[in-house]
Amino acid sequence: TGGITTLDPGFKNTSSCESAITFLDGEKGILRYRGYSIEELAEKSDFLEVAYLLIFGELPTTSQKLQFHKDIKKTALVDEDVKKILDGFPRSAHPMGVLSALTSALTAFNPTSVNVSSEQDMYRAVCKILGKFPVLVAWAYRKEEGLPLAYGDNSLGYVENFIKMMFELPNEEYKMNPIVVNALDKLLILHADHEQNCSTSTVRVVGSSHAGLFASISAGISALWGPLHGGANQAVIEMLEAIKADGGDYQKYIAKAKDKDDPFRLMGFGHRVYKNFDPRANIIKVAAEEVLNDLGVDDPVLDIARGLAQEALSDDYFKSRNLYPNVDFYSGIIYRALGIPVPMFTAMFALGRLPGWIAQWKEMRLRKEPISRPRQLYTGAPLRAFVEESKR
Ligand code: SDX
């Protein structure tokens, strides 16, 4: 219609949809999945159950949960030809680039697009991606380490099996550490959904053209990779390591972050929605201390993180802009204690966010949302006549 539209860069003040999946209150630091508080879910539930809750709307009964896990395991094999695509990558390839490529490639091996109006079809696609994605994440890691690709053990739980696929070594009896399993399960729950964040909005936008579920998730992985979004958990540890190498002088980094002429930002700080605290950061901070204690790991980077957070939280620049530690600030400290290498941190975020992406894509399609196509305010040249090359 050409009507005047309001300009809202980054959609800071725009609701793109109605959704019944996740509720956030940025002022009160509230996060709920399908009405259940993140605190209760992190304490009492497990990641597979939370995935079911997000995607199907209710906590599963015991038999529903068992059937769900069985159906996921049935489709957890990844076509052997996908390994040829993986082989094409250099070992130095970033896992997020590998994952977005392999996830998109899954479409080639599962060509039938999802008929969203068929519950059975939708359920099958959900089980497929929940089965295959952890394999791709583990393979991306093992490729980088030069290890043989593994499938783990289907008698294990969803998160346990993922850990085994990641870390089992040939000719070595793999011992599962319940501290590692519980810590990772809790982290995945805390990352599972977060309403219309950048990567979820990307999954919705791509899916709104009726592109397939795997292709939409592949786009979400690319959006998550950015250091302003999921890539921040890798950037936080790199920042803390730099501060450690600088003799622990976090004042210098705080000054850099405040310096308008310096593009450096305090990674893991600030949030578009949370203006007091990120409830996930509070839970992860406690979990980080517990896990390092339980594993007997003494990581000086945790002390630097605590000191940095304390200093920033008492600084007017951060207070006046409501900048607090977010989900990415402490999560890397746990990943590191669990033996997960830094380049894999954002891949772990993607593994956690997968159920949220699926749930939001499904809701968008079932509600028959229109194709996403925002308008713009034009600021370019007015009408002008073509100029012959000889006259330019
Ligand atoms: C995630 O959206 C989600 O829900 C995301 C997420 C999820 O679960 O999906 O929660 C996961 O992505 C968490 C955020 C991880 N990113 C980082 O930690 C990177 C560092 N943070 C910033 O880049 C920033 O805080 C964002 C990206 C998180 C939010 O950016 P906004 O909302 O666009 O805020 P802004 O860039 O407009 O900043 C407002 C002011 C600016 O200063 P002024 O121009 O007003 O003077 O605050 C400053 C910014 O310069 N600022 C920071 C800062 N974050 C904001 N200054 C220094 N360090 C920072 N981290």
Side-chain angles (χ1 to χ4, degrees), residues 12 24 190-191 193-200 224 226-233 236 257-258 260 264-275 278 280 317-318 321 323 326-329 349 353:
K12 291 192 173 190
L24 294 194
L190 292 166
H191 285 81
D193 193 49
H194 214 238
E195 56 136 89
Q196 304 311 314
N197 61 86
C198 179
S199 54
T200 299
L224 187 69
L228 293 188
H229 190 14
N233 62 12
V236 166
K258 291 161 62 173
K260 275 289 138 231
F264 172 76
R265 290 190 158 192
L266 216 48
M267 300 319 277
F269 253 73
H271 199 276
R272 173 65 57 76
V273 178
Y274 291 123
K275 293 309 170 195
D278 181 336
R280 301 166 298 177
Y317 172 92
F318 294 91
R321 292 167 176 79
L323 302 177
N326 59 45
V327 67
D328 293 314
F329 189 70
F349 192 145
R353 186 53 50 89

Short mmCIF file of all heavy atoms in Angstrom, two decimals, residues 12 24 190-191 193-200 224 226-233 236 257-258 260 264-275 278 280 317-318 321 323 326-329 349 353, ligand 1:
data_model
loop_
_atom_site.label_atom_id
_atom_site.label_comp_id
_atom_site.label_asym_id
_atom_site.label_seq_id
_atom_site.Cartn_x
_atom_site.Cartn_y
_atom_site.Cartn_z
N LYS A 12 13.51 -3.67 17.93
CA LYS A 12 13.57 -3.54 19.39
C LYS A 12 12.20 -3.35 20.01
O LYS A 12 11.95 -3.69 21.15
CB LYS A 12 14.47 -2.34 19.75
CG LYS A 12 15.93 -2.56 19.42
CD LYS A 12 16.82 -1.47 20.06
CE LYS A 12 18.30 -1.81 19.87
NZ LYS A 12 19.19 -0.96 20.65
N LEU A 24 8.77 -14.34 28.71
CA LEU A 24 9.89 -13.62 29.34
C LEU A 24 9.34 -12.35 29.97
O LEU A 24 8.50 -11.69 29.37
CB LEU A 24 10.89 -13.12 28.29
CG LEU A 24 11.74 -14.04 27.43
CD1 LEU A 24 12.84 -13.21 26.75
CD2 LEU A 24 12.31 -15.15 28.22
N LEU A 190 18.48 -24.85 30.07
CA LEU A 190 18.50 -23.38 30.21
C LEU A 190 18.62 -22.68 28.85
O LEU A 190 18.31 -21.50 28.72
CB LEU A 190 19.65 -22.96 31.13
CG LEU A 190 19.46 -23.38 32.59
CD1 LEU A 190 20.76 -23.23 33.37
CD2 LEU A 190 18.35 -22.57 33.25
N HIS A 191 19.09 -23.42 27.83
CA HIS A 191 19.26 -22.81 26.50
C HIS A 191 18.11 -23.16 25.55
O HIS A 191 18.10 -22.70 24.41
CB HIS A 191 20.57 -23.30 25.85
CG HIS A 191 21.80 -22.66 26.43
ND1 HIS A 191 22.38 -23.09 27.61
CD2 HIS A 191 22.55 -21.60 26.02
CE1 HIS A 191 23.43 -22.34 27.88
NE2 HIS A 191 23.57 -21.44 26.94
N ASP A 193 14.85 -22.57 24.89
CA ASP A 193 14.07 -21.61 24.09
C ASP A 193 14.17 -20.22 24.72
O ASP A 193 14.51 -20.10 25.89
CB ASP A 193 12.60 -22.03 23.98
CG ASP A 193 11.87 -21.21 22.90
OD1 ASP A 193 12.43 -21.11 21.78
OD2 ASP A 193 10.82 -20.62 23.19
N HIS A 194 13.90 -19.21 23.93
CA HIS A 194 13.99 -17.86 24.50
C HIS A 194 13.18 -16.86 23.68
O HIS A 194 13.66 -15.80 23.32
CB HIS A 194 15.45 -17.41 24.61
CG HIS A 194 15.66 -16.55 25.82
ND1 HIS A 194 16.15 -15.28 25.76
CD2 HIS A 194 15.40 -16.78 27.12
CE1 HIS A 194 16.19 -14.76 26.97
NE2 HIS A 194 15.75 -15.66 27.82
N GLU A 195 11.95 -17.19 23.41
CA GLU A 195 10.98 -16.45 22.56
C GLU A 195 11.68 -15.96 21.28
O GLU A 195 12.35 -16.77 20.62
CB GLU A 195 10.24 -15.37 23.34
CG GLU A 195 11.06 -14.31 24.06
CD GLU A 195 10.47 -12.92 23.84
OE1 GLU A 195 9.61 -12.49 24.61
OE2 GLU A 195 10.91 -12.29 22.85
N GLN A 196 11.53 -14.69 20.90
CA GLN A 196 11.89 -14.32 19.52
C GLN A 196 13.31 -13.76 19.41
O GLN A 196 13.54 -12.72 18.81
CB GLN A 196 10.86 -13.32 18.97
CG GLN A 196 9.43 -13.86 19.04
CD GLN A 196 9.31 -15.27 18.47
OE1 GLN A 196 9.83 -15.59 17.41
NE2 GLN A 196 8.62 -16.15 19.20
N ASN A 197 14.30 -14.47 19.98
CA ASN A 197 15.70 -14.05 19.84
C ASN A 197 16.12 -14.13 18.38
O ASN A 197 15.39 -14.65 17.54
CB ASN A 197 16.56 -14.97 20.71
CG ASN A 197 16.44 -16.41 20.26
OD1 ASN A 197 17.14 -16.84 19.38
ND2 ASN A 197 15.50 -17.11 20.84
N CYS A 198 17.30 -13.62 18.09
CA CYS A 198 17.76 -13.50 16.70
C CYS A 198 17.69 -14.81 15.92
O CYS A 198 17.15 -14.86 14.82
CB CYS A 198 19.19 -12.95 16.72
SG CYS A 198 19.91 -12.77 15.10
N SER A 199 18.19 -15.89 16.48
CA SER A 199 18.24 -17.16 15.71
C SER A 199 16.84 -17.78 15.58
O SER A 199 16.48 -18.31 14.53
CB SER A 199 19.20 -18.16 16.38
OG SER A 199 18.85 -18.36 17.73
N THR A 200 16.02 -17.65 16.60
CA THR A 200 14.65 -18.20 16.51
C THR A 200 13.84 -17.39 15.49
O THR A 200 13.09 -17.96 14.69
CB THR A 200 13.98 -18.18 17.89
OG1 THR A 200 14.76 -18.99 18.78
CG2 THR A 200 12.56 -18.70 17.84
N LEU A 224 22.86 -17.90 15.07
CA LEU A 224 23.34 -18.11 16.45
C LEU A 224 24.86 -17.94 16.53
O LEU A 224 25.38 -17.54 17.56
CB LEU A 224 22.95 -19.51 16.93
CG LEU A 224 23.23 -19.81 18.41
CD1 LEU A 224 22.30 -19.00 19.32
CD2 LEU A 224 23.08 -21.30 18.71
N GLY A 226 26.87 -15.77 15.43
CA GLY A 226 27.38 -14.41 15.61
C GLY A 226 27.78 -14.11 17.05
O GLY A 226 27.10 -14.52 17.99
N PRO A 227 28.91 -13.37 17.27
CA PRO A 227 29.37 -13.07 18.63
C PRO A 227 28.41 -12.19 19.44
O PRO A 227 28.48 -12.14 20.65
CB PRO A 227 30.71 -12.35 18.42
CG PRO A 227 30.73 -11.93 17.01
CD PRO A 227 29.82 -12.86 16.25
N LEU A 228 27.48 -11.53 18.79
CA LEU A 228 26.51 -10.74 19.57
C LEU A 228 25.40 -11.64 20.11
O LEU A 228 24.60 -11.23 20.95
CB LEU A 228 25.88 -9.64 18.71
CG LEU A 228 26.82 -8.51 18.25
CD1 LEU A 228 26.01 -7.41 17.57
CD2 LEU A 228 27.62 -7.96 19.41
N HIS A 229 25.33 -12.88 19.61
CA HIS A 229 24.26 -13.82 20.00
C HIS A 229 24.93 -15.06 20.62
O HIS A 229 25.73 -14.90 21.54
CB HIS A 229 23.44 -14.13 18.74
CG HIS A 229 22.16 -14.88 18.94
ND1 HIS A 229 21.56 -15.07 20.16
CD2 HIS A 229 21.35 -15.50 18.04
CE1 HIS A 229 20.44 -15.76 20.00
NE2 HIS A 229 20.30 -16.05 18.73
N GLY A 230 24.66 -16.24 20.13
CA GLY A 230 25.21 -17.44 20.77
C GLY A 230 26.73 -17.50 20.75
O GLY A 230 27.35 -18.05 21.66
N GLY A 231 27.33 -16.88 19.75
CA GLY A 231 28.80 -16.89 19.64
C GLY A 231 29.45 -16.18 20.82
O GLY A 231 30.66 -16.26 21.03
N ALA A 232 28.63 -15.49 21.63
CA ALA A 232 29.18 -14.75 22.78
C ALA A 232 29.80 -15.71 23.79
O ALA A 232 30.76 -15.35 24.48
CB ALA A 232 28.09 -13.92 23.45
N ASN A 233 29.27 -16.97 23.88
CA ASN A 233 29.83 -17.85 24.94
C ASN A 233 31.28 -18.22 24.62
O ASN A 233 32.09 -18.40 25.53
CB ASN A 233 28.94 -19.06 25.20
CG ASN A 233 28.79 -19.99 23.99
OD1 ASN A 233 29.50 -19.88 23.00
ND2 ASN A 233 27.83 -20.90 24.08
N VAL A 236 33.27 -14.88 25.34
CA VAL A 236 33.47 -14.60 26.77
C VAL A 236 34.76 -15.27 27.26
O VAL A 236 35.61 -14.62 27.87
CB VAL A 236 32.27 -15.10 27.61
CG1 VAL A 236 32.60 -15.14 29.11
CG2 VAL A 236 31.05 -14.22 27.37
N ALA A 257 35.48 -1.34 27.22
CA ALA A 257 34.05 -1.56 26.90
C ALA A 257 33.27 -0.25 27.01
O ALA A 257 32.27 -0.05 26.33
CB ALA A 257 33.47 -2.60 27.84
N LYS A 258 33.74 0.68 27.87
CA LYS A 258 33.02 1.94 28.06
C LYS A 258 33.43 2.98 27.02
O LYS A 258 32.75 3.96 26.82
CB LYS A 258 33.32 2.49 29.47
CG LYS A 258 32.71 1.64 30.58
CD LYS A 258 33.37 1.89 31.93
CE LYS A 258 33.20 3.30 32.42
NZ LYS A 258 33.72 3.44 33.82
N LYS A 260 33.62 4.77 23.85
CA LYS A 260 32.75 4.86 22.67
C LYS A 260 33.54 4.61 21.39
O LYS A 260 33.01 4.09 20.42
CB LYS A 260 32.09 6.24 22.62
CG LYS A 260 30.82 6.35 23.43
CD LYS A 260 29.65 5.55 22.77
CE LYS A 260 28.85 4.81 23.80
NZ LYS A 260 28.64 3.39 23.53
N PHE A 264 35.07 -2.65 21.18
CA PHE A 264 35.05 -3.79 22.12
C PHE A 264 33.86 -3.70 23.06
O PHE A 264 33.54 -2.63 23.60
CB PHE A 264 36.34 -3.79 22.96
CG PHE A 264 36.32 -4.81 24.07
CD1 PHE A 264 36.50 -6.16 23.80
CD2 PHE A 264 36.05 -4.42 25.39
CE1 PHE A 264 36.45 -7.11 24.82
CE2 PHE A 264 36.00 -5.36 26.41
CZ PHE A 264 36.19 -6.70 26.13
N ARG A 265 33.15 -4.81 23.25
CA ARG A 265 32.07 -4.90 24.23
C ARG A 265 32.42 -5.96 25.24
O ARG A 265 33.09 -6.95 24.92
CB ARG A 265 30.76 -5.27 23.53
CG ARG A 265 30.25 -4.12 22.69
CD ARG A 265 28.85 -4.38 22.21
NE ARG A 265 28.20 -3.11 21.89
CZ ARG A 265 26.90 -2.99 21.66
NH1 ARG A 265 26.14 -4.06 21.74
NH2 ARG A 265 26.36 -1.83 21.38
N LEU A 266 31.90 -5.79 26.44
CA LEU A 266 32.12 -6.80 27.47
C LEU A 266 31.26 -8.01 27.08
O LEU A 266 30.03 -7.96 27.17
CB LEU A 266 31.66 -6.25 28.82
CG LEU A 266 32.47 -6.65 30.04
CD1 LEU A 266 33.96 -6.48 29.81
CD2 LEU A 266 32.06 -5.80 31.23
N MET A 267 31.90 -9.06 26.59
CA MET A 267 31.12 -10.20 26.10
C MET A 267 30.43 -10.92 27.27
O MET A 267 30.99 -11.00 28.35
CB MET A 267 32.03 -11.16 25.35
CG MET A 267 32.71 -10.52 24.14
SD MET A 267 31.62 -9.44 23.20
CE MET A 267 30.78 -10.63 22.19
N GLY A 268 29.22 -11.36 27.03
CA GLY A 268 28.46 -12.02 28.10
C GLY A 268 27.71 -11.03 28.96
O GLY A 268 27.10 -11.40 29.96
N PHE A 269 27.77 -9.73 28.55
CA PHE A 269 27.05 -8.70 29.34
C PHE A 269 25.98 -8.04 28.47
O PHE A 269 26.19 -7.81 27.28
CB PHE A 269 28.07 -7.63 29.77
CG PHE A 269 28.39 -7.72 31.24
CD1 PHE A 269 29.18 -8.75 31.73
CD2 PHE A 269 27.85 -6.80 32.13
CE1 PHE A 269 29.46 -8.86 33.08
CE2 PHE A 269 28.14 -6.88 33.49
CZ PHE A 269 28.94 -7.91 33.96
N GLY A 270 24.87 -7.71 29.08
CA GLY A 270 23.81 -7.00 28.38
C GLY A 270 22.81 -7.96 27.77
O GLY A 270 23.12 -9.13 27.54
N HIS A 271 21.61 -7.45 27.55
CA HIS A 271 20.57 -8.28 26.94
C HIS A 271 19.47 -7.38 26.42
O HIS A 271 19.13 -6.38 27.03
CB HIS A 271 19.98 -9.26 27.97
CG HIS A 271 19.27 -10.39 27.30
ND1 HIS A 271 17.96 -10.29 26.88
CD2 HIS A 271 19.69 -11.62 26.94
CE1 HIS A 271 17.61 -11.43 26.30
NE2 HIS A 271 18.63 -12.24 26.32
N ARG A 272 18.91 -7.77 25.28
CA ARG A 272 17.84 -6.98 24.69
C ARG A 272 16.60 -6.94 25.58
O ARG A 272 15.94 -5.93 25.68
CB ARG A 272 17.48 -7.56 23.30
CG ARG A 272 16.27 -6.95 22.62
CD ARG A 272 16.47 -5.50 22.27
NE ARG A 272 17.62 -5.23 21.42
CZ ARG A 272 17.66 -5.47 20.13
NH1 ARG A 272 16.66 -6.06 19.52
NH2 ARG A 272 18.72 -5.13 19.42
N VAL A 273 16.32 -8.03 26.28
CA VAL A 273 15.07 -8.09 27.06
C VAL A 273 15.33 -7.95 28.56
O VAL A 273 14.73 -7.14 29.24
CB VAL A 273 14.33 -9.43 26.78
CG1 VAL A 273 13.05 -9.52 27.62
CG2 VAL A 273 14.03 -9.57 25.30
N TYR A 274 16.30 -8.69 29.09
CA TYR A 274 16.52 -8.65 30.55
C TYR A 274 17.18 -7.32 30.95
O TYR A 274 18.29 -7.03 30.52
CB TYR A 274 17.42 -9.80 30.99
CG TYR A 274 16.75 -11.15 30.86
CD1 TYR A 274 17.33 -12.15 30.09
CD2 TYR A 274 15.52 -11.41 31.47
CE1 TYR A 274 16.71 -13.39 29.96
CE2 TYR A 274 14.90 -12.65 31.34
CZ TYR A 274 15.49 -13.63 30.58
OH TYR A 274 14.90 -14.84 30.43
N LYS A 275 16.48 -6.53 31.75
CA LYS A 275 17.05 -5.24 32.15
C LYS A 275 17.38 -5.20 33.63
O LYS A 275 17.68 -4.17 34.19
CB LYS A 275 16.06 -4.12 31.80
CG LYS A 275 15.89 -3.96 30.27
CD LYS A 275 17.22 -3.84 29.55
CE LYS A 275 17.13 -3.91 28.03
NZ LYS A 275 18.43 -4.13 27.41
N ASP A 278 19.52 -11.81 34.09
CA ASP A 278 19.14 -12.95 33.25
C ASP A 278 19.01 -14.15 34.20
O ASP A 278 20.02 -14.58 34.75
CB ASP A 278 20.24 -13.18 32.19
CG ASP A 278 19.90 -14.35 31.26
OD1 ASP A 278 19.12 -15.23 31.66
OD2 ASP A 278 20.43 -14.36 30.13
N ARG A 280 18.81 -17.12 33.85
CA ARG A 280 19.63 -18.29 33.49
C ARG A 280 21.06 -18.09 33.99
O ARG A 280 21.70 -19.02 34.46
CB ARG A 280 19.62 -18.46 31.97
CG ARG A 280 18.23 -18.66 31.37
CD ARG A 280 18.26 -18.49 29.87
NE ARG A 280 18.66 -17.12 29.50
CZ ARG A 280 18.82 -16.75 28.23
NH1 ARG A 280 18.60 -17.61 27.23
NH2 ARG A 280 19.18 -15.52 27.97
N TYR A 317 28.44 3.18 34.14
CA TYR A 317 28.21 2.98 32.70
C TYR A 317 27.29 1.76 32.51
O TYR A 317 26.30 1.80 31.79
CB TYR A 317 29.53 2.74 31.97
CG TYR A 317 29.38 2.32 30.52
CD1 TYR A 317 29.37 3.27 29.50
CD2 TYR A 317 29.17 0.98 30.19
CE1 TYR A 317 29.19 2.89 28.18
CE2 TYR A 317 28.99 0.60 28.87
CZ TYR A 317 29.01 1.54 27.87
OH TYR A 317 28.82 1.15 26.54
N PHE A 318 27.59 0.68 33.19
CA PHE A 318 26.82 -0.57 33.00
C PHE A 318 25.48 -0.46 33.72
O PHE A 318 24.44 -0.87 33.19
CB PHE A 318 27.64 -1.77 33.51
CG PHE A 318 28.87 -2.01 32.69
CD1 PHE A 318 30.08 -1.42 33.02
CD2 PHE A 318 28.80 -2.78 31.54
CE1 PHE A 318 31.21 -1.60 32.24
CE2 PHE A 318 29.93 -2.98 30.74
CZ PHE A 318 31.13 -2.38 31.09
N ARG A 321 22.94 1.56 31.90
CA ARG A 321 22.40 0.92 30.68
C ARG A 321 21.80 -0.46 30.99
O ARG A 321 21.50 -1.21 30.06
CB ARG A 321 23.52 0.80 29.65
CG ARG A 321 23.99 2.14 29.09
CD ARG A 321 25.30 1.99 28.31
NE ARG A 321 25.68 3.25 27.70
CZ ARG A 321 26.27 4.24 28.38
NH1 ARG A 321 26.53 4.09 29.69
NH2 ARG A 321 26.61 5.36 27.77
N LEU A 323 23.09 -3.16 32.18
CA LEU A 323 23.88 -4.26 31.60
C LEU A 323 24.29 -5.23 32.69
O LEU A 323 24.99 -4.87 33.63
CB LEU A 323 25.12 -3.70 30.90
CG LEU A 323 24.83 -2.67 29.80
CD1 LEU A 323 26.12 -2.12 29.23
CD2 LEU A 323 23.98 -3.30 28.69
N ASN A 326 24.76 -12.16 31.15
CA ASN A 326 23.69 -12.92 30.52
C ASN A 326 24.05 -14.40 30.48
O ASN A 326 25.08 -14.81 31.02
CB ASN A 326 23.40 -12.37 29.12
CG ASN A 326 24.64 -12.43 28.22
OD1 ASN A 326 25.33 -13.45 28.19
ND2 ASN A 326 24.94 -11.33 27.55
N VAL A 327 23.23 -15.18 29.83
CA VAL A 327 23.37 -16.65 29.82
C VAL A 327 24.75 -17.08 29.36
O VAL A 327 25.28 -18.10 29.81
CB VAL A 327 22.29 -17.28 28.90
CG1 VAL A 327 22.53 -16.91 27.43
CG2 VAL A 327 22.25 -18.79 29.07
N ASP A 328 25.39 -16.26 28.54
CA ASP A 328 26.69 -16.67 27.97
C ASP A 328 27.87 -16.38 28.88
O ASP A 328 28.98 -16.82 28.59
CB ASP A 328 26.90 -15.95 26.62
CG ASP A 328 25.89 -16.43 25.60
OD1 ASP A 328 25.71 -17.64 25.51
OD2 ASP A 328 25.27 -15.59 24.93
N PHE A 329 27.61 -15.61 29.96
CA PHE A 329 28.78 -15.14 30.73
C PHE A 329 29.46 -16.27 31.50
O PHE A 329 30.68 -16.37 31.54
CB PHE A 329 28.35 -14.03 31.71
CG PHE A 329 29.52 -13.34 32.38
CD1 PHE A 329 30.37 -12.52 31.64
CD2 PHE A 329 29.80 -13.56 33.72
CE1 PHE A 329 31.45 -11.90 32.24
CE2 PHE A 329 30.89 -12.95 34.33
CZ PHE A 329 31.72 -12.12 33.59
N PHE A 349 25.35 -24.54 22.48
CA PHE A 349 24.18 -23.65 22.57
C PHE A 349 23.14 -24.10 21.53
O PHE A 349 21.95 -24.22 21.82
CB PHE A 349 24.62 -22.20 22.32
CG PHE A 349 23.60 -21.14 22.66
CD1 PHE A 349 24.00 -19.92 23.18
CD2 PHE A 349 22.25 -21.32 22.47
CE1 PHE A 349 23.09 -18.91 23.50
CE2 PHE A 349 21.31 -20.33 22.77
CZ PHE A 349 21.73 -19.14 23.29
N ARG A 353 19.32 -25.18 21.98
CA ARG A 353 18.24 -24.36 21.40
C ARG A 353 17.40 -25.08 20.37
O ARG A 353 16.30 -24.64 20.02
CB ARG A 353 18.88 -23.10 20.76
CG ARG A 353 17.94 -22.05 20.21
CD ARG A 353 16.87 -21.53 21.15
NE ARG A 353 17.30 -21.11 22.46
CZ ARG A 353 17.70 -19.87 22.78
NH1 ARG A 353 17.76 -18.96 21.85
NH2 ARG A 353 18.04 -19.56 24.01
C1 SDX B 1 22.20 -14.15 23.71
O1 SDX B 1 17.80 -12.21 22.48
C2 SDX B 1 18.05 -13.23 23.19
O2 SDX B 1 17.18 -13.74 23.91
C3 SDX B 1 19.47 -13.79 23.10
C4 SDX B 1 19.81 -14.92 24.06
C5 SDX B 1 19.02 -16.18 23.77
O3 SDX B 1 18.83 -16.97 24.70
O4 SDX B 1 18.68 -16.42 22.58
O5 SDX B 1 19.58 -14.51 25.38
C6 SDX B 1 21.30 -15.33 23.93
O6 SDX B 1 22.48 -13.81 22.57
C7 SDX B 1 22.67 -13.35 24.90
C8 SDX B 1 23.50 -12.10 24.49
C9 SDX B 1 24.92 -12.55 24.14
N1 SDX B 1 25.67 -11.40 23.55
C10 SDX B 1 26.65 -10.80 24.25
O7 SDX B 1 26.94 -11.04 25.42
C11 SDX B 1 27.41 -9.74 23.43
C12 SDX B 1 27.57 -8.47 24.27
N2 SDX B 1 26.25 -7.87 24.43
C13 SDX B 1 25.85 -6.81 23.55
O8 SDX B 1 26.36 -6.85 22.27
C14 SDX B 1 24.39 -6.40 23.71
O9 SDX B 1 24.18 -6.21 25.04
C15 SDX B 1 23.31 -7.29 23.14
C16 SDX B 1 23.59 -7.67 21.73
C17 SDX B 1 23.14 -8.51 23.96
C18 SDX B 1 21.99 -6.49 23.20
O10 SDX B 1 22.15 -5.41 22.35
P1 SDX B 1 21.01 -4.28 22.21
O11 SDX B 1 19.79 -4.66 22.97
O12 SDX B 1 20.89 -3.97 20.76
O13 SDX B 1 21.64 -3.07 23.00
P2 SDX B 1 22.52 -1.94 22.34
O14 SDX B 1 23.59 -2.56 21.48
O15 SDX B 1 21.62 -0.93 21.75
O16 SDX B 1 23.25 -1.32 23.64
C19 SDX B 1 22.60 -0.34 24.43
C20 SDX B 1 23.74 0.46 25.07
C21 SDX B 1 24.74 0.99 24.02
O17 SDX B 1 25.38 2.10 24.62
P3 SDX B 1 24.87 3.61 24.17
O18 SDX B 1 24.97 3.65 22.66
O19 SDX B 1 23.46 3.72 24.69
O20 SDX B 1 25.85 4.53 24.86
O21 SDX B 1 24.50 -0.39 25.93
C22 SDX B 1 25.83 -0.53 25.40
C23 SDX B 1 25.78 -0.10 23.95
O22 SDX B 1 27.05 0.40 23.52
N3 SDX B 1 26.17 -1.95 25.53
C24 SDX B 1 27.35 -2.41 25.92
C25 SDX B 1 27.22 -3.80 25.96
N4 SDX B 1 25.97 -4.15 25.61
C26 SDX B 1 25.31 -3.00 25.34
N5 SDX B 1 28.52 -1.76 26.20
C27 SDX B 1 29.55 -2.56 26.56
N6 SDX B 1 29.48 -3.93 26.64
C28 SDX B 1 28.35 -4.56 26.34
N7 SDX B 1 28.26 -5.89 26.42
#
